[in-house]
Each structure stands twice: as C-alpha cells, then as structure tokens.
Amino acid sequence: MPMPLERPACKCFQSAGESVIHTEPQDLEIDAWHQLLELIDRAVATGATEFAPGPALGWETWWQIVTLPPSIGRLTSVRKLMLYGSNLDQLPPEIGEMESLEELELYTSYRLHWLPYEVTRCPNLKSSLISTRALYGNYKQRHPFPRLQDGPDFLPEVTPMQCSVCRSPLASTIKRRWISLNIATDVVPLLVHACSKDCLDSLPTPPSNYVSRPHTGGTHLHQPQRGRM
C-alpha cells in the first residue's frame, strides 16, 4: 500500500532547549482506536504470528493512533510486530508480555524516540528495524534525553503500574532512569520505572560509546562524541 506524501513528524530536535517526552493523549472514542482493538482481538483469536495494523487500517486511520493498547500483551503468538510508518510516540509496557516476539519493525516511526524497559522481557526478540536517528542518544545524532524526575506526580501518562525491573507494584517511590541497551539488532534508549535503588543497581551495563550508567537525562548530561562507534 503506497504511503501518502504527508506523514507524521515532530520538531523535538529542532531547538537547542530541553527535550520533553511526548504526552499526547490517545483519543479512545475514535473509530480508529476501536478498529485497532478489534484487530488485536482477531489476532488473539486466530493465534496470528504476525501483526501489522498499518496496512490493515489504512494510513490515514493508522496515523490517528499515538500508542498501542495494553491488550497487545495478549498477542503471545505473534512473532513479527510490524509498526512501520506509524504516528506512535510511545509503546505500552505490556509489549514485554509478547513472549513469542522475534522481530520488531518500527522503521520510519519518527515520533518514537524511546521504548519501555519492559521490552527486555521478550526472550525471543532477535531482530529489530528502527529509525535510529530519531532515538534519544543515538551515536549518529546524540539527541538530548528529556530530564526525568522521581515520584508519582511526574509523567503519569507513561508511568506503568508495576516496577519495570521486578514487577512489584509502584507506589509513591518511583525512580525513573534512562538506559541505552542492545535490543535485538539496535541500541535503544529505554525508560525505566523502578521501585527501589536495588532495582536500579541491578540494571545491565550499557554498551560502549553510550552513557555508561542509568541516568535522568537533561541538558547537563554528557554524552560521547557524536558519530563515534
């Protein structure tokens, strides 16, 4: 299906100021959202091994979707998740429940700058296709990371119910950090919501040439030189 000339984009990296995380709410009343829910229900019922909502919905409808519903966690038979050319600005932590996921395609989803840490729970994920130039901290551009704050009142739109690391319920103590890790075939910035310092201390070591520790982002953060690998 040919893609129209007009496509979603953002201006996050066009100014030298502080970056901010997209928090555009998803309209849950539009037909596009209900059609997406029906596609997921159908894929669950048939045990589908591939899920590609864009071609199924059509581009104009697909671009009305800015996040996926938590019910994608029910797609436990899906091995290939095709989100090419989307208007997504975040993915839900329930992506970590997709236990059969092997391939994740997010190419030309230019508004998607990070993934939830929960994607590391997908044990079979081995292939990814991502527009890495749109990612926070990628070595080609070193786009700045938005500044994070701890506590329950910061960015409730993207805060999960459980700790990203140990799955304990998140209460008033929420520690948020960025960490860049190898996800399949790409190094991806991940957003961690941790319940404790112990969970933060258990995070893996980032690959070389990326910020070497979990961090809170912000304009003060020193990243390695752009273009070095």
Side-chain angles (χ1 to χ4, degrees), residues 1 39 50-59 61-62 82-85:
M1 179 176 57
L39 285 177
E50 181 173 313
F51 188 66
L57 294 173
W59 293 115
T61 301
W62 177 221
M82 305 283 289
L83 303 175
Y84 171 86

Side-chain angles (χ1 to χ4, degrees), residues 11-85:
K11 299 180 179 180
C12 288
F13 307 128
Q14 294 182 11
S15 67
E18 187 87 47
S19 295
V20 295
I21 296 176
H22 290 289
T23 56
E24 177 185 351
Q26 174 66 56
D27 187 342
L28 304 182
E29 303 300 325
I30 58 175
D31 288 343
W33 183 251
H34 294 291
Q35 291 177 43
L36 177 59
L37 295 178
E38 291 174 1
L39 285 177
I40 292 173
D41 287 342
R42 192 178 311 147
V44 172
T46 60
T49 58
E50 181 173 313
F51 188 66
L57 294 173
W59 293 115
E60 287 78 7
T61 301
W62 177 221
W63 287 347
Q64 296 176 53
I65 304 298
V66 297
T67 188
L68 298 180
S71 57
I72 67 162
R74 299 168 55 215
L75 297 175
T76 54
S77 296
V78 167
R79 295 198 294 267
K80 189 171 185 177
L81 181 59
M82 305 283 289
L83 303 175
Y84 171 86

